[in-house]
């Protein structure tokens, strides 16, 4: 009734859903956006927007991991920001220093994603700390793209 198929979805909505799923299955698009987000992190760093630099590093690594999920598992990535969970899904063995960085990035990204005390965040993410995180983020992105 009302033009619905057996699943209760109209033909037009079903077609849109398939297009959306296909879009999310484009690993190259995930990697391209991961690169763009890392470039944005660099731009934020140059503009002294340090905790946004950390946020963009997290977003870049998240997108690269989602691209790897498509590449390795041939399935759409889950809608999550948890980098450790994404690594677990593809059973990825990271060198210890990179895993430690991912663990830290995963933890601190919550502070950059949701409102917190602005002055505390400005103090915590100073130039030196953020520069190190940006460098490690770029190194990790390069490593992930080589997998």
């Amino acid at each position: 009734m009302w033009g619905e198929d057996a699943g209760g979805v109209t033909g037009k909505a079903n077609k849109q859903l398939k297009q959306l799923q296909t879009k999310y299955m484009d690993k190259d698009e995930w990697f391209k956006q991961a690169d763009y987000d890392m470039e944005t992190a660099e731009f934020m760093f140059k503009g002294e927007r340090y905790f946004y630099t950390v946020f963009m590093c997290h977003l870049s690594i998240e997108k690269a991991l989602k691209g790897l999920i498509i590449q390795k598992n041939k399935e759409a990535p889950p809608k999550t920001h948890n980098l450790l969970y994404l690594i677990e899904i593809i059973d990825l063995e990271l060198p210890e220093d990179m895993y430690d960085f991912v663990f830290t990035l995963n933890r601190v990204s919550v502070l950059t994603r949701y409102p917190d005390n602005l002055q505390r965040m400005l103090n915590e993410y100073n130039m030196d700390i953020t520069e190190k995180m940006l460098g490690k983020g770029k190194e990790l992105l390069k490593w992930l793209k080589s997998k």
Side-chain angles (χ1 to χ4, degrees), residues 18-139:
K18 286 181 193 242
Q19 288 173 339
L20 190 59
Q21 288 170 333
T22 300
K23 182 174 88 170
Y24 287 136
M25 289 296 293
D26 184 353
K27 70 175 175 53
D28 295 330
E29 184 63 27
W30 284 101
F31 289 123
K32 184 174 20 171
Q33 288 192 27
D35 286 335
Y36 186 85
D37 290 345
M38 192 58 73
E39 291 170 10
T40 301
E42 291 175 312
F43 184 80
M44 290 288 114
F45 182 78
K46 289 175 186 169
E48 299 179 8
R49 298 296 183 156
Y50 299 129
F51 69 85
Y52 286 119
T53 302
V54 175
F55 175 78
M56 294 308 298
C57 280
H58 181 282
L59 195 57
S60 172
I61 300 306
E62 178 184 325
K63 288 179 180 176
L65 287 169
K66 289 179 178 183
L68 280 177
I69 288 171
I70 295 167
Q71 181 176 302
K72 291 183 177 283
N73 296 1
K74 309 293 188 241
E75 63 186 28
K79 293 181 179 180
T80 183
H81 304 299
N82 187 328
L83 303 178
L84 300 173
Y85 177 62
L86 295 172
I87 288 169
E88 185 180 303
I89 289 173
I90 50 177
D91 196 28
L92 185 62
E93 293 285 330
L94 280 88
E96 187 176 346
D97 63 322
M98 286 187 183
Y99 183 85
D100 291 344
F101 172 68
V102 170
F103 185 85
T104 300
L105 189 60
N106 203 54
R107 180 182 52 80
V108 301
S109 74
V110 173
L111 299 175
T112 62
R113 190 175 297 275
Y114 298 102
D116 199 358
N117 181 290
L118 179 62
Q119 193 57 52
R120 184 174 71 81
M121 289 179 18
L122 291 172
N123 292 339
E124 197 168 317
Y125 298 103
N126 61 36
M127 185 178 82
D128 293 334
I129 290 171
T130 306
E131 186 172 33
K132 289 175 187 169
M133 292 190 81
L134 179 59
K136 288 180 180 179
K138 289 163 61 175
E139 180 184 335

